[in-house]
């Protein structure tokens, strides 16, 4: 499955970060909320995601809600994957960027499959 990863689309000094994963038939909007100074070491405190069609129509979850809040062990896993995407090594191509991106996308996709009924 083809995808395009758009990372860190945000306002300067904003404590909210938007990431998007676009697939052939839908996209996933990820919202990360941080606490602390964005210039020093911000702390990730909340992650939400929504699934939309390519023409921006929201897709409901199996339970009828729209967004998913990542909690518990999944949150810890997400933190690690997000840290890898924002690392010095990733930005300067010292590690396999494709592998880091695929791990991130596969994790988010597993959460989408668990929460949404995609036809």
């Amino acid at each position: 499955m083809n995808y395009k990863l758009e990372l860190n689309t945000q306002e300067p000094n904003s404590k909210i970060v938007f990431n998007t994963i676009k697939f052939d038939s839908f996209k996933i909007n990820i919202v990360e909320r941080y606490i602390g100074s964005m210039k020093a070491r911000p702390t990730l405190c909340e992650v939400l995601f929504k699934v939309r069609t390519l023409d921006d129509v929201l897709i409901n979850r199996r339970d009828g809600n729209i967004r998913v809040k990542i909690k518990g062990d999944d949150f810890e896993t997400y933190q690690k994957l997000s840290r890898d995407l924002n690392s010095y090594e990733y930005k300067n191509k010292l590690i396999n960027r494709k592998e880091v991106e695929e791990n991130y996308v596969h994790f988010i996709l597993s959460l989408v499959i668990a929460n949404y009924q995609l036809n």
Side-chain angles (χ1 to χ4, degrees):
M1 187 180 291
N2 297 325
Y3 66 87
K4 181 180 178 190
L5 186 59
E6 297 174 2
L7 297 173
N8 299 328
T9 51
Q10 72 179 39
E11 301 281 325
N13 296 323
S14 173
K15 294 186 182 210
I16 298 176
V17 175
F18 300 98
N19 296 327
T20 303
I21 305 170
K22 290 185 179 179
F23 292 95
D24 296 335
S25 58
F26 66 96
K27 62 184 174 181
I28 304 168
N29 299 121
I30 304 161
V31 180
E32 299 175 349
R33 192 166 292 142
Y34 289 87
I35 56 175
S37 171
M38 292 304 283
K39 293 180 181 175
R41 294 176 67 121
T43 303
L44 184 63
C45 66
E46 184 179 55
V47 180
L48 306 169
F49 69 89
K50 301 175 188 177
V51 178
R52 299 174 182 262
T53 62
L54 293 179
D55 53 352
D56 286 332
V57 176
L58 287 167
I59 298 173
N60 289 339
R61 290 177 15 188
R62 288 182 179 146
D63 62 6
N65 293 322
I66 294 174
R67 65 184 181 162
V68 175
K69 182 175 181 178
I70 301 176
K71 304 180 209 173
D73 291 339
D74 290 337
F75 182 75
E76 292 174 19
T77 303
Y78 183 88
Q79 273 186 309
K80 181 196 176 311
L81 294 170
S82 179
R83 207 174 306 127
D84 290 346
L85 279 175
N86 294 311
S87 70
Y88 173 85
E89 292 82 6
Y90 176 83
K91 290 177 182 173
N92 292 294
K93 300 180 182 177
L94 300 174
I95 58 176
N96 185 346
R97 293 177 69 146
K98 186 165 179 64
E99 183 179 323
V100 172
E101 289 174 2
E102 283 179 355
N103 290 340
Y104 180 81
V105 170
H106 289 157
F107 175 73
I108 293 295
L109 200 52
S110 71
L111 292 177
V112 168
I113 290 169
N115 289 285
Y116 289 86
Q117 181 67 42
L118 300 175
N119 294 333

